Each structure stands twice: as structure tokens, then as C-alpha cells.
Amino acid sequence: QSDEVIIDKKDRLLRFKDNIKIKIENYIIEGSNALLKQKDEKLEIYGKPTSIQSTEVDGEAEVLVIYPNKSIDLIGSAKLKKNGNLITSDLISYQINSNE
């Protein structure tokens, strides 16, 4: 979901602008803007910051990259809290599990 979607046929991508909200399983991902790159098979979400939340996870970063296998990279000032444990780094890789 976003306020505006732009189809770029030349570069084979979709641009999502403003108020990005994505649901994957029981995760909610929010950001300012996003790019879906068909060639690279990934969705890049940008924000100040972006966020990912579920009942198990609370995280944020400057950029989230989502891959078809449901792995997510949190890039730039990344923070991820799960089960009371907090991880901070410039890059955190996280795998969404279907049973969470």
C-alpha cells in the first residue's frame, strides 16, 4: 500500500511513493518510498527510518531490502529487537519464518 505507484517500463521497476505499508505474514513493514526491481528480484524500502514489526520482532533501519525467499536486510543504523534481545549494526540480515 502506498499513496502513489509509478510504473517504469524502461527500467522494469515499480516506484512506490509516500506512506508505504507492506504486510508479509504477520509482519508490518513501513517506510517513505520503495522500489520493486524485477531484474534484481528485490523490494527496497527507504525511510527515516523504515520499520518492521510483529508480535515477535521490532526493528528499524534506513533501508530494508526484501528478497523472494522472505529474507530481509536491514541496512544503515539498523536495530532489531527479538525476545528481549537487541541487536544494532550497519547491516542485519533476518529471515521471516512462516511459523512466527
Side-chain angles (χ1 to χ4, degrees), residues 63-99:
V63 179
L64 293 178
V65 180
I66 304 171
Y67 300 93
N69 66 355
K70 297 182 186 172
S71 69
I72 298 177
D73 289 339
L74 293 85
I75 303 168
S77 302
K79 297 176 187 175
L80 187 67
K81 187 174 184 180
K82 183 172 180 175
N83 300 328
N85 297 313
L86 177 65
I87 299 168
T88 60
S89 181
D90 285 332
L91 171 63
I92 299 171
S93 293
Y94 181 75
Q95 180 67 50
I96 290 179
N97 294 322
S98 295
N99 59 358

Side-chain angles (χ1 to χ4, degrees), residues 1-7 14-20 32-34:
Q1 166 182 336
S2 70
D3 289 350
E4 183 179 356
V5 178
I6 299 165
I7 300 170
L14 290 175
R15 296 178 194 276
F16 301 90
K17 292 185 132 189
D18 301 322
N19 300 311
I20 308 300
S32 302
N33 297 293

